[in-house]
Amino acid sequence: MSIFLNLINNFITKGAEMNKARFFVLFLGIFIFTGLLVSCVSDKEASKFVEKLEKKPGEGKPASYWVKKLTDVQLKPDAVKALMELKDKSVIPQLTELFKKDRSLRADIAEILGMLGEKSTAPVLLEGLVFEVSNNIQEQRENDRINEKILGALAAMQEESAKPAVIKLLSSTSAPVLAAAVRAEKVFKDKNAVDALIAIIRNDNLSKAIRADAIYVLGEIGDPKAVPALVRAMYIERQGTVYPEANEALQKIGKAAVPELVKTFLGKNEEVRQLAEKSNFVVGAIEGKAAETLGDICDLSAEDALLKMVKSDEDNPIAKSKAAFALGRMQSKKAAPVMAKLAEDEEDPSVRAHYLLAINLIGDTSVIPSLVKGAKKPDLDKYKKEGATQQELDILRKGREEVVKTIARLATDKDAAHYDKVMKEEKNPEISKVIKEYSVMIDVAKECKGDFACYKGKLSDTNKVVREKAAYMIGRIDSEEAVNTLIDLLGTEKDNDVKFAVLQGLFNFSGKYYKTMLPKIEAKVAELKDDILKNDLNRLLLRLKSLNR
């Protein structure tokens, strides 16, 4: 029986070199015959036999064996996989020699060499690049695959000498090659590639993925020359929007991007204006994206342009709301009284909310008297008499409640009298409940005054409204200890209102403490996977990186 098993074992060992059809038929016959004799086979012999059956052809063979099998059409896929898994650098001389001799193997060998990461092979790989265009379709496809794999390998090696070749292939008409060249630039970030990358993001016929990668690289390089093209890219919807990527790149470039964004916000960017006419943009789309990006960059040189829109009589709610938030994000003291007056007179809750949010972000307590007047508007009884539905009345009431909350969030101990006035004069029972709920913020302000340690202690209070107030007040205390206290809350605080207060405090500190904040915020962003404020934290991180350039 052992002789029989040895014959089968010998057959399996040689089977990989046989015609597949013959191998299958012979194997099936032997398998059936073996079944008839299975009762005669000992457990030990059967176990060895099964083990042999499960063993793949070539398993356990050295890398040198698999290099030879690269020329075998049937075994080449297995050979490539095995060499990638073995990671044996001793076969590099064999691979480079085969790379030079056999053009059909260059793409696969390039991929293997890239994984091995041996920079001494870079000259050989560079010589394998094909820059000429072939009239033979099949040959050109093979050239494209070779170039794609070589570019990937050179990028994996971070081989600096490849930079000129990569720039040359940034003009390739082959999508896979172009994509590989742009991906390589994500590694090299070559300043000499800026013009070629600008040409790519201006080509609206290219895929979103290629343009998005090119935009990313331009942001990393940070050359202001790219700003006009990046601003234009924010408004291109063909093949899918790249607005998030363009917004992020402009944030990385920072202050140098502000003039072009302001020009666009004011409607003076002719290229973007023509795009809007062709694509029938909704009213406020141009201004909205520009204002949002200006708010992310957070530079006060855009203050006057944004404030002009907020103060205008123009019927453009998108532009006004985005401009208001941007002014709030950059803590424009000039904008605070303007928006307080607008919030006082505006009765539409959806519009008023933007002004209130901006006022809260700015943190200017001098506007509280104006907000106290606004807390009485609109007159709900008047609307009720005019036939407003209960649903409409509820919406208007909630608008007044937001004014009350804003006063409570802003107030210091010196503003307590203003809040008391609101509490005494309010007649609506639902609004009175909110006033009472948020009165604890005033109590906290009166107790702690300007004492950081007192506010820090309140962060562990069971009442989320108390924690929210403490977070806002700490965000207005200029000290590195205050910065670290808020950073420590990221990932531990569960209430979203408190999280927002923490985040705003960190934005407040970013202009002064960006160097110490940057590594800590980077760690938090990596740590927090599904936090509701992850996007805002990423924006903060981009701001810190831009300031740290």
Side-chain angles (χ1 to χ4, degrees):
M1 191 63 211
S2 296
I3 295 171
F4 175 71
L5 288 178
N6 286 334
L7 288 171
I8 296 175
N9 288 342
N10 186 57
F11 168 72
I12 292 169
T13 302
K14 301 295 183 181
E17 299 173 5
M18 298 175 63
N19 177 277
K20 285 185 177 179
R22 287 181 61 206
F23 176 76
F24 177 75
V25 172
L26 288 171
F27 177 78
L28 184 61
I30 292 172
F31 183 78
I32 294 170
F33 182 61
T34 303
L36 296 173
L37 298 176
V38 71
S39 59
C40 302
V41 182
S42 70
D43 289 342
K44 187 175 181 180
E45 289 176 317
S47 177
K48 288 181 179 179
F49 177 62
V50 170
E51 185 179 326
K52 191 69 175 181
L53 285 176
E54 291 176 346
K55 195 169 185 180
K56 296 177 182 178
E59 189 173 336
K61 297 290 185 181
S64 57
Y65 167 86
W66 288 114
V67 172
K68 294 175 183 177
K69 294 303 177 185
L70 283 171
T71 56
D72 186 317
V73 176
Q74 290 185 339
L75 290 180
K76 187 173 79 167
D78 291 333
V80 172
K81 184 179 178 182
L83 289 166
M84 295 287 281
E85 290 174 351
L86 289 169
K87 299 181 176 65
D88 186 349
K89 291 189 176 184
S90 68
V91 296
I92 286 177
Q94 294 170 259
L95 288 170
T96 53
E97 193 61 32
L98 199 54
F99 179 91
K100 294 175 185 177
K101 289 181 178 179
D102 194 335
R103 186 172 178 279
S104 68
L105 295 176
R106 284 180 185 172
D108 294 309
I109 293 175
E111 189 172 17
I112 296 166
L113 291 174
M115 179 275 302
L116 292 174
E118 180 56 59
K119 285 194 172 188
S120 64
T121 63
V124 176
L125 289 169
L126 284 167
E127 287 178 12
L129 287 170
V130 185
F131 297 102
E132 299 79 16
V133 177
S134 173
N135 292 324
N136 184 298
I137 295 175
Q138 190 57 42
E139 184 181 17
Q140 186 57 48
R141 284 177 180 168
E142 188 175 356
N143 290 343
D144 289 343
R145 185 166 180 267
I146 290 170
N147 286 344
E148 179 189 0
K149 297 299 183 182
I150 291 176
L151 284 170
L154 293 167
M157 295 174 187
Q158 300 181 30
E159 176 52 50
E160 296 286 313
S161 66
K163 286 181 176 180
V166 174
I167 291 175
K168 194 169 182 180
L169 289 173
L170 284 172
S171 60
S172 173
T173 56
S174 163
V177 174
L178 182 59
V182 175
R183 285 195 299 272
E185 284 300 343
K186 291 175 78 172
V187 174
F188 297 127
K189 301 177 181 65
D190 186 359
K191 291 181 179 179
N192 294 319
V194 168
D195 289 337
L197 291 165
I198 288 172
I200 288 170
I201 70 170
R202 283 187 171 278
N203 186 346
D204 303 335
N205 294 317
L206 293 175
S207 72
K208 174 185 173 180
I210 290 176
R211 288 182 294 123
D213 280 347
I215 287 169
Y216 170 83
V217 178
L218 287 169
E220 288 292 295
I221 294 171
D223 190 335
K225 185 197 295 187
V227 168
L230 289 170
V231 170
R232 176 186 179 276
M234 293 200 303
Y235 301 96
I236 300 298
E237 301 290 336
R238 189 172 181 180
Q239 307 277 1
T241 182
V242 288
Y243 169 67
E245 291 83 0
N247 167 281
E248 185 173 314
L250 289 164
Q251 285 184 65
K252 290 175 181 175
I253 293 172
K255 189 172 182 175
V258 171
E260 186 74 11
L261 286 165
V262 168
K263 183 175 82 171
T264 304
F265 178 78
L266 294 174
K268 297 178 181 179
N269 187 323
E270 187 61 25
E271 188 175 24
V272 172
R273 192 187 64 75
Q274 289 178 8
L275 282 173
E277 288 179 359
K278 287 180 181 179
S279 304
N280 295 317
F281 288 1
V282 298
V283 175
I286 292 177
E287 299 90 339
K289 288 182 176 180
E292 185 171 60
T293 307
L294 286 166
D296 291 333
I297 294 172
C298 218
D299 188 87
L300 278 171
S301 62
E303 181 180 38
D304 290 340
L306 294 166
L307 195 52
K308 182 180 178 181
M309 171 58 73
V310 172
K311 290 161 63 175
S312 75
D313 295 328
E314 189 175 337
D315 184 18
N316 194 337
I318 293 176
K320 287 188 174 184
S321 63
K322 295 290 187 181
F325 184 81
L327 288 163
R329 184 64 90 200
M330 60 182 65
Q331 294 187 286
S332 167
K333 300 296 183 185
K334 193 189 293 187
V338 174
M339 284 192 278
K341 181 61 178 171
L342 290 168
E344 176 189 337
D345 297 334
E346 180 59 64
E347 296 189 349
D348 183 340
S350 63
V351 178
R352 177 184 252 186
H354 296 293
Y355 299 138
L356 293 173
L357 175 59
I359 291 166
N360 186 43
L361 296 179
I362 295 168
D364 186 350
T365 59
S366 69
V367 303
I368 289 178
S370 184
L371 294 178
V372 170
K373 295 177 184 177
K376 299 176 183 178
K377 303 174 184 178
D379 185 336
L380 300 182
D381 290 335
K382 174 190 168 188
Y383 276 93
K384 187 174 182 179
K385 289 175 183 177
E386 291 176 355
T389 65
Q390 188 57 51
Q391 185 179 15
E392 290 169 336
L393 290 171
D394 288 343
I395 292 171
L396 292 171
R397 172 178 54 77
K398 288 177 180 178
R400 282 177 57 179
E401 291 171 0
E402 285 303 315
V403 179
V404 170
K405 293 177 183 179
T406 302
I407 296 171
R409 287 164 177 154
L410 285 174
T412 66
D413 59 303
K414 297 174 183 178
D415 304 302
H418 292 300
Y419 199 83
D420 290 341
K421 178 179 170 65
V422 174
M423 185 178 289
K424 288 175 183 177
E425 295 179 355
E426 184 55 60
K427 305 300 181 186
N428 183 284
E430 295 297 322
I431 297 176
S432 292
K433 285 181 184 178
V434 174
I435 294 173
K436 185 175 181 181
E437 180 188 0
Y438 277 77
S439 67
V440 295
M441 287 192 171
I442 309 302
D443 295 337
V444 170
K446 287 163 70 174
E447 179 187 345
C448 294
K449 295 182 173 63
D451 185 358
F452 167 75
C454 179
Y455 287 119
K456 185 176 181 179
K458 298 294 182 185
L459 291 172
S460 59
D461 198 282
T462 55
N463 187 337
K464 72 177 187 67
V465 179
V466 171
R467 299 199 307 276
E468 183 185 356
K469 179 63 174 178
Y472 272 121
M473 298 308 285
I474 289 173
R476 294 163 188 158
I477 295 173
D478 186 2
S479 76
E480 194 158 340
E481 189 178 4
V483 175
N484 292 330
T485 297
L486 293 183
I487 291 175
D488 288 342
L489 285 173
L490 295 172
T492 59
E493 175 57 55
K494 303 302 180 186
D495 182 80
N496 289 335
D497 288 334
V498 183
K499 287 179 183 179
F500 186 82
V502 169
L503 186 68
Q504 181 51 34
L506 292 172
F507 265 100
N508 294 348
F509 294 136
S510 61
K512 183 175 181 179
Y513 296 102
Y514 60 89
K515 286 189 181 296
T516 56
M517 287 176 65
L518 179 56
K520 296 173 184 178
I521 296 299
E522 276 185 315
K524 287 292 183 181
V525 169
E527 173 189 324
L528 300 176
K529 300 300 181 186
D530 300 311
D531 195 281
I532 193 170
L533 293 181
K534 184 71 178 281
N535 287 338
D536 287 312
L537 270 177
N538 278 320
R539 288 176 185 273
L540 174 60
L541 182 58
L542 286 171
R543 171 162 167 71
L544 296 172
K545 287 180 176 179
S546 175
L547 291 168
N548 199 50
R549 274 185 185 272

